[in-house]
Amino acid sequence: MAEGEGLVSVDYEVSGTGEAKRLGLVGWVQNTSHGTVQGQIQGPTARVRELQEWLRKVGSPQSRISRAEFSNEKKIPALEHKDFQILK
């Protein structure tokens, strides 16, 4: 992580994710009963932005994304998760 870059935490929901692990991000993801995927990603701001763009435009091969929403963005002093998990 570049010095001074800082960490950020963002909640998200997409209609229609391994990419987070490739980018070295932590957090969680789960399917919802509404047919969407929601979760939280944490890591260096630039990497989080990269995943946000990927979620908006590409998504996993099995998904068809019609919208991606991000909320609760905040700067964090340290990561709150150890890895990226798929919750059931």
Side-chain angles (χ1 to χ4, degrees):
M1 176 172 67
E3 189 172 334
E5 184 176 315
L7 300 172
V8 67
S9 174
V10 178
D11 294 342
Y12 65 94
E13 182 172 347
V14 293
S15 298
T17 175
E19 187 70 4
K21 286 185 179 182
R22 185 187 73 76
L23 292 171
L25 300 172
V26 300
W28 57 271
V29 64
Q30 73 181 152
N31 292 321
T32 71
S33 60
H34 307 344
T36 63
V37 175
Q38 68 180 10
Q40 183 179 80
I41 47 178
Q42 296 181 348
T45 303
R47 295 276 174 100
V48 169
R49 298 285 179 258
E50 191 175 337
L51 183 63
Q52 286 175 308
E53 195 64 16
W54 183 83
L55 288 168
R56 281 187 190 104
K57 296 184 176 178
V58 181
S60 68
Q62 300 85 8
S63 67
R64 186 179 316 155
I65 297 174
S66 59
R67 70 178 169 81
E69 296 180 9
F70 302 93
S71 61
N72 298 325
E73 182 169 324
K74 60 187 175 187
K75 293 190 180 287
I76 55 175
L79 297 174
E80 299 163 338
H81 303 279
K82 292 183 180 199
D83 56 14
F84 198 85
Q85 298 180 343
I86 298 171
L87 302 180
K88 304 280 181 186

